């Protein structure tokens, strides 16, 4: 004896809901986008901060072996130092500024203009990321937008330039890491999580990139959810058949 029509309808509805739930589990991974981004410890004008550059490898066949970050010259950072990273060397390059700039009462004609990290080993492999930190300061006046273009070089010779500046709400294909300074003592907020920002400690874009690397477990989770609901539907249908009047 077949299950009553209402039971079959409920079963179909439950299965459709399960399929939708499985799709929703996978959506964050599909939408993830891994970019080179910067997370500042602080953005207060006049202060010093640690800038953390998070660099994911986006090539399944080649490792990232060099990362270069261009520093601002219109609003230079007079003090730049690197934190050692195992397996990498770091070089801070100085250069002439386009024009003299007053920083903290001193007139600068030269300043750090570039930082280069070079892998001494295999570099950043497929499915991996690395973090590179700079201690910089003093930061320019509040409201200054600091754009820090990054250049990611791979072992096979490919170079990806993360140097496009967002204009309005549109997200460029290769956004440059950036931050905006805030008034001294003011808590810094976050930009769009899809590009490098002056975010707080929680970087939503990095969480999305991590989710992208977890696609297999999400697929299995979605399939498990569908199978569980299907089993529940079968059990309910059997119970209804067993309790139906003869």
């Amino acid at each position: 004896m077949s299950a009553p029509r209402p039971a079959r309808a409920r079963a179909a509805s439950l299965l459709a809901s399960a399929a939708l739930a499985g799709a929703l589990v996978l959506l964050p991974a599909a939408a993830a986008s891994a970019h080179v981004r910067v997370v500042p410890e602080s953005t207060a004008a006049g202060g010093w901060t640690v800038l953390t550059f998070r660099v994911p490898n986006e090539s399944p066949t080649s490792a990232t072996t060099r990362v270069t970050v261009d520093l601002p010259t219109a609003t230079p950072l007079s003090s730049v130092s690197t934190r050692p990273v195992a397996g990498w060397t770091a070089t801070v390059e100085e250069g002439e500024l386009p024009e003299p700039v007053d920083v903290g009462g001193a007139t600068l004609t030269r300043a750090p203009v570039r930082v280069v990290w070079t892998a001494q080993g295999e570099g950043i492999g497929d499915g991996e990321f690395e973090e590179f930190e700079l201690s910089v300061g003093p930061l320019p006046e509040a409201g200054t937008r600091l754009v820090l273009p990054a250049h990611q070089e791979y072992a096979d010779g490919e170079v990806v330039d993360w140097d496009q500046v967002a204009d309005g709400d549109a997200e460029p294909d290769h956004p440059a890491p950036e931050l905006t300074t805030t008034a001294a003592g003011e808590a810094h907020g976050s930009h769009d999580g899809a590009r490098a920002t002056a975010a707080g400690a929680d970087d939503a874009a990095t969480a999305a990139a991590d989710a992208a690397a977890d696609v297999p477990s999400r697929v299995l989770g979605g399939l498990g959810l569908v199978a569980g609901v299907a089993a529940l539907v079968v059990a309910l249908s059997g119970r209804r058949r067993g309790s139906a009047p003869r």
Side-chain angles (χ1 to χ4, degrees):
M1 178 178 179
S2 61
R5 185 176 299 275
R8 290 199 300 271
R10 281 193 294 272
S13 177
L14 284 172
L15 287 173
S17 298
L20 176 60
L24 290 176
V25 168
L26 299 178
L27 276 178
S33 180
H35 299 328
V36 174
R37 54 183 51 83
V38 63
V39 181
E41 180 183 60
S42 170
T43 56
W48 272 253
T49 187
V50 173
L51 304 178
T52 301
F53 292 87
R54 292 175 178 169
V55 182
N57 188 79
E58 296 188 308
S59 171
T61 59
S62 185
T64 297
T65 55
R66 180 173 296 172
V67 176
T68 301
V69 172
D70 297 332
L71 302 175
T73 55
T75 53
L77 301 166
S78 59
S79 174
V80 176
S81 58
T82 62
R83 181 172 184 175
V85 178
W88 293 76
T89 60
T91 303
V92 179
E93 299 179 2
E94 288 195 357
E96 297 289 336
L97 299 177
E99 58 183 31
V101 180
D102 181 80
V103 177
T107 300
L108 300 184
T109 58
R110 291 178 57 85
V113 295
R114 188 177 302 107
V115 181
V116 182
W117 289 272
T118 305
Q120 299 305 296
E122 296 181 354
I124 308 170
D126 182 29
E128 300 177 343
F129 76 95
E130 185 59 88
E131 294 187 340
F132 303 96
E133 294 183 346
L134 295 178
S135 175
V136 304
L139 296 179
E141 65 181 15
T144 301
R145 186 182 187 184
L146 294 181
V147 179
L148 305 161
H151 312 280
Q152 185 173 12
E153 300 181 38
Y154 288 88
D156 62 5
E158 180 184 5
V159 178
V160 179
D161 296 316
W162 301 97
D163 59 358
Q164 297 175 344
V165 179
D167 184 12
D169 294 332
E171 155 98 345
D173 292 333
H174 295 87
E178 66 173 85
L179 62 94
T180 300
T181 58
T182 55
E186 179 181 337
H188 55 276
S190 64
H191 282 289
D192 185 348
R195 66 177 186 263
T197 69
D202 181 22
D203 187 356
T206 299
D210 293 341
D214 197 29
V215 169
S217 61
R218 289 177 177 274
V219 171
L220 292 176
L223 293 176
L225 177 62
V226 172
V229 173
L232 177 61
V233 169
V234 172
L236 291 175
S237 298
R239 178 178 296 179
R240 288 182 175 277
R241 286 198 298 270
S243 61
R246 299 181 182 276

